[in-house]
Amino acid sequence: MSQSVDTDETTPLLRDDASSDISVDEDYKSRWRSIRVMYFTMFLSSVGFTIVITSLWPYLQLIDVSADASFLGWVVAAYSLGQMIASPLFGLWSNHRPRKEPLVCSIIINLSANIYYAYAYLPTKDKKIHILMSRAFVGFGAGNVAVVRSYVAGATSLKERTSAMANMSACQALGFILGPALQACLSFIGEKGITVKVIDLQLNMYTAPALLAAAFGVVNILLVGLVLREHRVDDQGRQIRSINEISEDRVDISIVPEESIDQVAVLTSNILFFVVMFIFAVFETISTPLSMDMFAWTREEAVLYNGIIICCIGFESILVFLVVKVASQRVGDRPVLLAGLAIIFCGFFILLPWGNHYPKIQWADLKNNSLLSRASEATGVSNSSFEPTGCPYEQTWCQYTPTIHLAQYLSSDILIGVGYPACNVMSYTLYSKILGPKPQGVYMGWLTASGSGARTLGPVFVSQVYTILGPRWAFSLICSMVVGAIILLSCLYHRLIAFSVRHGSIIE
């Protein structure tokens, strides 16, 4: 085994992986300070996506009554589409220039887009289009995730890689948790809020979260400008270039191995990452309509209960990231990824409907609503607050598809909350190891783009297959997709190995 200055991967979350006297040198400390800045950037990227997501629909309805639910789908997809376009571009930029440049540029775009979102109510017409454009630009700015991942991959050794990627994923999960929490905290401002006439700003529960995200962007720019330094180490942990030798005008990418990257392994990793992200996009999109159809929850109940469930899954994910750091060290990255896919399969398989109980149909509510309407005509009392619950009669599968029990739903949530984070972190950890010490910006851009594409197509899949054919078809197809991913991973298992291992410079 080649000698290395690598460290123990079982270190606590976000703590430097230091275990030897060599770790006290300035380059090492500067390298880990820079990696922590990347953690914070990933955290803010997640916060920027989720901090307005729960208030997006009422904000749209408030400023533009012509916006309908189908347009909301486009607004949600605009973020992922923007990120999908930007990721390879920022990745290519980071390969040939200091990473500060694309990072600062992307954060400025993100910051400006959030301010644009806060002022979307000002135009006299087509306000919903301005909401759509602002979210697309926020997503475009979030394309810096490719730069973040490529930086962390290039600044860590093979032994440090899994630990660092798990830490970064934990920061991302924390951002997904805190985003909606911050929105909830800012809701006390109210829908009317206050008017700041000097800058013509209506500060309310819808605009305040976007402005807070913009403020976070200012902090992020300062950290990138003042703390971040260019670092690159080889797979054994040796500094490729001294910090003092790095040019702030041009990054030298000539000192790299000449061996070729396994393109089959690269393509396989992209496919696996697409499947993982697609599955989770389906899961988070389907949770609200599924729970309302199967458990006859009202809109308010569905938002509240599913919000609590997603929050619990977020905390569960952070624990999984900690376990993954230890498990991957003991058994390897590929077995953890395979186990994660198997757990996801179990999570969706138990959601398949069975038994002799059927969901409550909204027909009964429609009949009751008709009676209430007649009563209101006679008494003059409005029944506008009445909300039909259960499975809509327009979905014909509701009449012959057995119900999904609450125990099935919660068990599925727990299993997917274990399998998804394990697959997520292992997917791009393996990917970064396959690419090796060469600049990974473009490749990480394509990986991020594949994930963004999956998050765009997932909601479309739900709206079509689930609405028309029902949960039995939807979850059967998801199970088939997971089985396909397991077969693909098993067939190409021997090729999903680190660049240095493949070329013999490190013995696995």
Side-chain angles (χ1 to χ4, degrees):
M1 177 70 69
S2 302
Q3 294 297 317
S4 171
V5 295
D6 295 331
T7 55
D8 187 1
E9 293 181 6
T10 62
T11 50
L13 183 67
L14 302 184
R15 180 179 174 184
D16 289 358
D17 297 338
S19 61
S20 68
D21 292 339
I22 300 176
S23 66
V24 302
D25 70 343
E26 185 57 35
D27 277 3
Y28 182 90
K29 289 188 283 187
S30 174
R31 178 163 67 94
W32 280 98
R33 280 197 298 268
S34 298
I35 289 172
R36 285 198 181 101
V37 172
M38 296 297 96
Y39 292 165
F40 185 70
T41 303
M42 181 66 83
F43 167 77
L44 291 186
S45 177
S46 298
V47 169
F49 174 68
T50 59
I51 197 169
V52 301
I53 201 69
T54 57
S55 63
L56 186 58
W57 177 228
Y59 186 40
L60 260 176
Q61 291 179 309
L62 177 68
I63 67 172
D64 195 332
V65 294
S66 66
D68 55 17
S70 62
F71 187 80
L72 174 65
W74 283 107
V75 174
V76 174
Y79 178 95
S80 297
L81 287 172
Q83 189 179 51
M84 183 170 62
I85 294 170
S87 297
L89 299 177
F90 285 129
L92 179 63
W93 188 352
S94 71
N95 273 5
H96 299 282
R97 298 288 298 175
R99 291 181 177 90
K100 282 185 181 181
E101 293 181 8
L103 283 172
V104 170
C105 178
S106 62
I107 296 169
I108 290 174
I109 292 173
N110 195 294
L111 184 157
S112 303
N114 276 304
I115 295 175
Y116 180 21
Y117 177 89
Y119 279 98
Y121 64 88
L122 280 181
T124 56
K125 60 179 182 178
D126 294 330
K127 295 179 181 180
K128 64 181 182 181
I129 300 300
H130 292 284
I131 292 285
L132 176 71
M133 294 298 296
S134 65
R135 291 302 293 170
F137 282 120
V138 170
F140 193 92
N144 61 17
V145 168
V147 183
V148 171
R149 286 174 176 160
S150 67
Y151 182 91
V152 174
T156 52
S157 66
L158 280 183
K159 284 189 176 181
E160 295 170 327
R161 189 81 45 80
T162 301
S163 178
M165 291 294 187
N167 290 344
M168 188 165 61
S169 295
C171 291
Q172 188 176 27
L174 190 62
F176 279 117
I177 295 169
L178 291 183
L182 290 171
Q183 165 72 80
C185 292
L186 292 170
S187 62
F188 76 91
I189 300 175
E191 192 172 84
K192 185 176 181 181
I194 58 175
T195 302
V196 185
K197 294 183 179 180
V198 177
I199 54 176
D200 204 11
L201 173 65
Q202 185 68 35
L203 186 64
N204 55 33
M205 61 185 290
Y206 305 126
T207 61
L211 295 173
L212 180 60
F216 284 152
V218 174
V219 176
N220 201 3
I221 290 174
L222 292 174
L223 286 173
V224 169
L226 299 176
V227 181
L228 183 67
R229 297 292 182 270
E230 293 286 345
H231 288 279
R232 193 151 55 84
V233 300
D234 63 16
D235 284 348
Q236 294 170 296
R238 297 170 299 195
Q239 189 85 19
I240 293 179
R241 294 163 298 165
S242 168
I243 190 172
N244 297 322
E245 296 173 346
I246 296 170
S247 168
E248 292 296 323
D249 298 320
R250 182 175 179 82
V251 176
D252 181 13
I253 60 172
S254 61
I255 312 175
V256 292
E258 295 182 357
E259 292 90 345
S260 61
I261 296 172
D262 187 346
Q263 297 297 332
V264 173
V266 168
L267 179 60
T268 302
S269 299
N270 273 278
I271 293 173
L272 292 174
F273 189 68
F274 177 90
V275 171
V276 170
M277 296 303 295
F278 182 91
I279 288 168
F280 190 73
V282 169
F283 170 74
E284 64 181 359
T285 305
I286 208 172
S287 59
T288 298
L290 178 69
S291 59
M292 293 176 68
D293 291 346
M294 294 297 164
F295 314 134
W297 287 350
T298 63
R299 288 189 296 268
E300 184 177 345
E301 290 172 336
V303 171
L304 174 62
Y305 299 151
N306 283 302
I308 294 172
I309 289 171
I310 291 174
C311 187
C312 291
I313 289 175
F315 284 112
E316 181 187 12
S317 298
I318 293 176
L319 296 177
V320 172
F321 292 136
L322 296 175
V323 173
V324 161
K325 293 169 66 172
V326 179
S328 62
Q329 182 187 20
R330 295 186 177 180
V331 302
D333 298 334
R334 292 172 294 177
V336 174
L337 177 57
L338 193 58
L341 288 171
I343 293 172
I344 289 176
F345 173 82
C346 295
F348 277 98
F349 185 78
I350 64 175
L351 273 179
L352 292 175
W354 57 275
N356 297 319
H357 296 282
Y358 295 88
K360 175 186 176 183
I361 308 296
Q362 285 186 13
W363 274 336
D365 286 323
L366 289 172
K367 181 179 179 181
N368 292 336
N369 194 21
S370 177
L371 293 173
L372 286 171
S373 296
R374 294 174 186 174
S376 66
E377 290 175 3
T379 61
V381 179
S382 173
N383 69 322
S384 58
S385 61
F386 180 81
E387 178 186 344
T389 58
C391 208
Y393 73 94
E394 297 92 345
Q395 297 175 170
T396 55
W397 55 264
C398 296
Q399 304 169 40
Y400 55 81
T401 302
T403 189
I404 294 173
H405 302 282
L406 183 60
Q408 288 176 266
Y409 183 67
L410 294 177
S411 299
S412 174
D413 290 337
I414 293 171
L415 289 173
I416 294 172
V418 172
Y420 167 72
C423 290
N424 180 275
V425 67
M426 285 299 102
S427 294
Y428 57 75
T429 299
L430 261 177
Y431 188 68
S432 67
K433 292 181 178 181
I434 289 168
L435 297 176
K438 294 186 178 182
Q440 299 185 5
V442 174
Y443 282 103
M444 282 296 178
W446 289 121
L447 186 74
T448 304
S450 68
S452 300
R455 290 205 310 271
T456 302
L457 293 176
V460 176
F461 172 89
V462 170
S463 63
Q464 297 299 315
V465 178
Y466 174 79
T467 304
I468 298 173
L469 301 176
R472 182 171 284 162
W473 272 96
F475 298 140
S476 295
L477 289 173
I478 288 295
C479 287
S480 300
M481 184 178 292
V482 178
V483 169
I486 291 174
I487 293 173
L488 177 64
L489 175 58
S490 301
C491 292
L492 295 170
Y493 191 87
H494 64 288
R495 300 191 70 156
L496 300 179
I497 57 177
F499 183 93
S500 299
V501 173
R502 179 171 173 255
H503 292 286
S505 57
I506 290 180
I507 300 174
E508 190 174 28

